[in-house]
Structures are given as structure tokens and as C-alpha cells.
Amino acid sequence: MKKSLISTFLLLGIALAAASNLREERNERFLVEDSKDTIANIPSDFSESHGGSDSERLPPSDPAFWFYLACAVGLCCMAGMMSGLTVGYLSIDQLELEIKMRNGTDEEKRHASIIMPILSRHHLLLSTLLVANAFAMECLPICLDKIVPSYMAVIISTIGVVVFGEIIPQAVCTGPKQIEIAAWLAPTVKILILFLYPICYPTSRALDYFLGIHGKTRFMKKDLKTLIELHQIDKNEAANNEHGHHDTEKYTQLTAEETKVINSTIDLRDTPVTKEMETIDKVFMLSNQAKIDSDMIKRIARSGFSKIPVYRNNKNDVIGILKAKTLIDYQDKYLNKTISEAGIPLTPPLIVASDTSMLEMLMLFQEKRTAIALISEQKIKEKSADSGLFSRRNLVLEKDSQKLIGLISLKDIFEEILESKMADDDVHGPVTIFSGPGGQKRKLKPQTPVNLEDAEAFEKPEKGLSQPLIRK
């Protein structure tokens, strides 16, 4: 590219020199005395107003000819650089630079750190590049008028500005190497800003005042979801490009499942827990005065729940969460005793406000290291002036504070993210259990589950077990 531009400018200079030589020979051949008298009688102001006479043109033998020619070529290059930089710099998205500064390569981070301070002063950069571009384009015809006729100066300056000062520079500065070119020419831009600062700074301040400061790009939530969907793999397009040069795109784009999970996770903050909760009247609960016997174990087994709330007097007075697996290895001394008398450890209940979002609930589950929570009818966020900066700690309520309206578990949040129902977490794969005093292990396959409705199944010894799971 650089060699082609240099050769083009050299050819342009040679053409200009040849045109000047032909003009000089033509004037010497056809010049007569009558024409001299006619030209002498033309007013000087008329000649000046029409770009001067041919006698004022500089011949190639004059060193000033080559000086003006070099100035014309330099001004054309300057106009092209300013035009390319204007389009190249102002088409760079600052969000793209922020992304490269965070997870780009070392070279990309270096380029982004060079460009970012320049782009942050948007109107000052715009004013500087436009003023420099206007200066170059206005001076170019003046220099050409010294070495070629006026009509040739107009034609050459027009072609030179359009081709070499607009099309080629803008195509190069907006191409694949846009960031690299912008970083490479950053020192030149800084010098221009410093040189034209007295003129461009007041202009940029006026633009900032009337139009506002050019801010960074940030997407709204719905726009972000649409952007993610646009990065989803198009199966038809992927099939067409399977054997083409775009084959690697399917490894960088998102699958339909990934898109669904990401969009569902984005919506968690706007989804209240009351949407996915189980109402309190449908929640399987136990009283702390319930006796530990085979009937209780059968009821727990039929329910299919691994964590069960335990209440004291009524369902609004939950004192803890009972893990069903703690009853598997109960001792005979606990038989026919109540839960409170047996001293079975209970997990303190997590009670949250009804206006808690699913995202906040997920964070609370992670913070409290639990997977089940009770929901109160009390609302907290409507009492806060700024719910966007609301602390999650304020969403956790004390026991006996309000009436309970439902229950939510970690599985409910996962179902909201996946947009599908999940099987219970008790038996997903082969479950390893210990059998007999020898400690031998045996696996129960999930495709042959025990019928929970058949109570006798829990009272009969399993094959390979020394005793039944439930003793009378």
C-alpha cells in the first residue's frame, strides 16, 4: 500500500512537470506581438481575479516549482490523513476498547490504553481533525495554481482530494487494522491537538455545553439480550459454511442453550420469588411435637422432600429445617420421642421478604450456604428510597416477624434459569449405600425405584442388608 501511494504521487509530479513544459513550448511558439499588446492592455485586477496570467506560472527549471509541487503533495497527504483519522477515530467504540483492555492480548491492551485518552475528549478531537483537514484542502489549490493553470488546479485538486484524500485513507483507517493505525498515529494527533488547541478548545467546550459530553456506550437490559441472541449460531448458516473459511465461527458463537441460560439469568433480577414459590398451604411440614416412628418416616418418604420445615405451634412459627437424611441412622432411644425431645439438629430457617428477586435469593443462598428459604408477606424495598442500592442483608427477616406465604428452594431458581422442570435431587444417579457390618457397598439403580406408596417396602430387609431401613 505504501509503495503504491509513493509511486502514484511520483507519477502525479511527473505529469505536472510535463504539463508545465508543454504549456511553455506552446506559449513560445504561438506568441505574437499583437497578443502581447492585448495582454498588456488587460487590467491587472482582472488577471488577479482570474488566478493570474500564464507568465506568472513557475517553470520546472525554477526551484520554486518543485517547492510548490512538494507542498501540494504534502497537503494532499495531510488532507488524506486527517480525513482517514476523522472517520477512523470517531468510528471506534469506546466499549470495544474497554473490552480489549480487560480481556485482550498484551498488544491490544497497549493499543487501547493509548487510544482511550484521546477518544475521551470527543469534541476536541473532532474539531482538531476537521480544522486541519480544512486547512490542507484550502491550501492545496493555492499551491497548484502556482505551477499549473487554474482549471488544471481545480481538476487535480478535486481528483487528488477525492481519491487520495478521502476514499483511500478512509478505507485504510476503517479496515481490519483500524485500532493499530489509530494507536500508531496517536502521537501525531496529540501534536495537532496541542498546536491547534487555542482554536479548537473553545469550539469543543461550546459543543460540550450545547450538545453534551460524549459518553460511553452502555446497553439496556433488553438491548443486551438482543445482542446475545444475535451471537447465537444460525444452524442453516452454519451448515452452509461447514466446509468454508468461516468454519471457526461456530466455536466462537453461542448455542441456543447458552443463549437461553444467559437471558434467563439476566431476567432473574426482575423476577420476584413469589412467582416460583410453593404456597405455604402446600408445603410439607412437621410439628416439633411429632413422634419419631415408622409412620413419620413413611410420610417423609412419600413426600419425596429432603429438607422439611419444622414448626412449633403453627405454620407461621417455623423453628428450623429438618434434613431427612438425619433420620435414616436414628437410634432406638429416639423412638416414640418427639423431635424436640430427641434433640435432632435443625438448620435455622432463612426467612426473606416477598419482594426479594430471584437473583438476590440466589446470592442469599450462596451467602447463607443453604438451599431452602421461607417467604414472608412483608415487603422491604418499597420502604427504601433507592431499591437499586438496597442491601441483601435487609431482605433477611427475623422469625415471628410476619405471616409466611410460601417456600422457595435453590432448585426453583435453577428451573427458572433453565426454563424447565428438574427431577428431585434425592436420586439422580446410582446411590451408594452401606450394607451390613462388613461395610460392603451396593448401588441402587435409579431405573428401578422403590414405590414410595408401598409402605411395606420400607419394612422388609433389602437384599444384602442386615436389617430393614425402617424398624418397627
Side-chain angles (χ1 to χ4, degrees), residues 233-263:
I233 298 176
D234 188 346
K235 294 183 179 180
N236 296 328
E237 184 179 354
N240 295 332
N241 295 332
E242 185 176 359
H243 302 290
H245 65 282
H246 297 291
D247 192 30
T248 56
E249 290 184 359
K250 63 183 180 181
Y251 299 105
T252 59
Q253 291 181 316
L254 300 174
T255 63
E257 292 77 11
E258 290 172 327
T259 303
K260 181 177 67 174
V261 170
I262 294 172
N263 286 342

Side-chain angles (χ1 to χ4, degrees), residues 171-190:
V172 172
C173 292
T174 57
K177 301 295 184 180
Q178 181 181 15
I179 303 295
E180 290 83 347
I181 294 174
W184 183 63
L185 293 176
T188 305
V189 175
K190 291 180 180 179

